[in-house]
Amino acid sequence: MTGEVDAAPAATGSIDIRGIMAALPHRYPMLLVDRVVALIPNEKIHAVKAVSINESFFQGHFPGRPIMPGVLIVEAMAQAAGVLTVETLDLRGSGKLVYFMSIDGAKFRNPVEPGCLLDLHVELLQIRGRVCKFLGKASVDGKLCAEANFVAMIADPPVD
């Protein structure tokens, strides 16, 4: 990994929903990370999304065969990356936001259905200034469902 952050990685235990909500501005229905299982600052995160039939997108995607939309799987990986970025750069409470900039090479391998736990594994590949590059993989029961490379930017909060 290449970057400007040289702090020695120290594994972080799990982070509950309150900690996730302190790190991310997202709220229902767009908050797609339920728990952080493990986090190593400046390296990687393992987070989980509990996929429930009660989620509104299942009404129309697809009736009779509910499948989590691929774009929401990528968003869940990006949110996990946001938590990793906030923890790595100690941005909690700073008001700074982590904005999605680009997605590359997104591939969808297996459907994600209600009732599963979606494992989100994201690696921090590079930090250059305010731009971070990641590799994300989403799986259910060890079976790869989606993967993508993506880039995010750290930005100041909007001014009212």
Side-chain angles (χ1 to χ4, degrees), residues 102-152:
S102 70
I103 306 164
D104 188 37
K107 295 179 181 139
F108 303 97
R109 308 290 188 191
N110 290 290
V112 175
E113 300 173 323
C116 70
L117 290 177
L118 184 63
D119 285 300
L120 307 164
H121 293 272
V122 179
E123 292 179 50
L124 176 58
L125 301 176
Q126 184 180 67
I127 299 176
R128 281 201 179 151
R130 301 178 335 166
V131 177
C132 305
K133 293 182 180 181
F134 304 93
L135 169 63
K137 294 184 179 185
S139 61
V140 174
D141 295 329
K143 192 172 187 180
L144 184 64
C145 297
E147 60 188 320
N149 289 292
F150 49 95
V151 177

Side-chain angles (χ1 to χ4, degrees), residues 1-159:
M1 191 189 96
T2 308
E4 297 174 359
V5 178
D6 295 322
T12 300
S14 69
I15 300 173
D16 66 12
I17 193 65
R18 290 179 302 279
I20 292 165
M21 290 173 72
L24 298 178
H26 304 76
R27 296 297 180 262
Y28 177 84
M30 281 306 299
L31 183 59
L32 299 174
V33 176
D34 292 317
R35 175 166 292 281
V36 172
V37 177
L39 184 147
I40 300 174
N42 211 32
E43 284 189 28
K44 61 186 175 180
I45 187 171
H46 173 199
V48 175
K49 161 71 177 143
V51 182
S52 167
I53 190 63
N54 295 324
E55 304 197 55
S56 61
F57 54 79
F58 283 131
Q59 284 184 319
H61 201 267
F62 300 102
R65 178 73 162 88
I67 297 172
M68 185 174 183
V71 68
L72 293 180
I73 298 169
V74 174
E75 174 65 22
M77 290 188 291
Q79 288 182 21
V83 174
L84 175 59
T85 303
V86 166
E87 293 297 320
T88 294
L89 300 177
D90 196 26
L91 300 176
R92 192 181 295 224
S94 70
K96 301 249 185 222
L97 300 172
V98 182
Y99 286 130
F100 215 159
M101 287 179 60
S102 70
I103 306 164
D104 188 37
K107 295 179 181 139
F108 303 97
R109 308 290 188 191
N110 290 290
V112 175
E113 300 173 323
C116 70
L117 290 177
L118 184 63
D119 285 300
L120 307 164
H121 293 272
V122 179
E123 292 179 50
L124 176 58
L125 301 176
Q126 184 180 67
I127 299 176
R128 281 201 179 151
R130 301 178 335 166
V131 177
C132 305
K133 293 182 180 181
F134 304 93
L135 169 63
K137 294 184 179 185
S139 61
V140 174
D141 295 329
K143 192 172 187 180
L144 184 64
C145 297
E147 60 188 320
N149 289 292
F150 49 95
V151 177
M153 177 181 70
I154 301 158
D156 292 324
V159 178

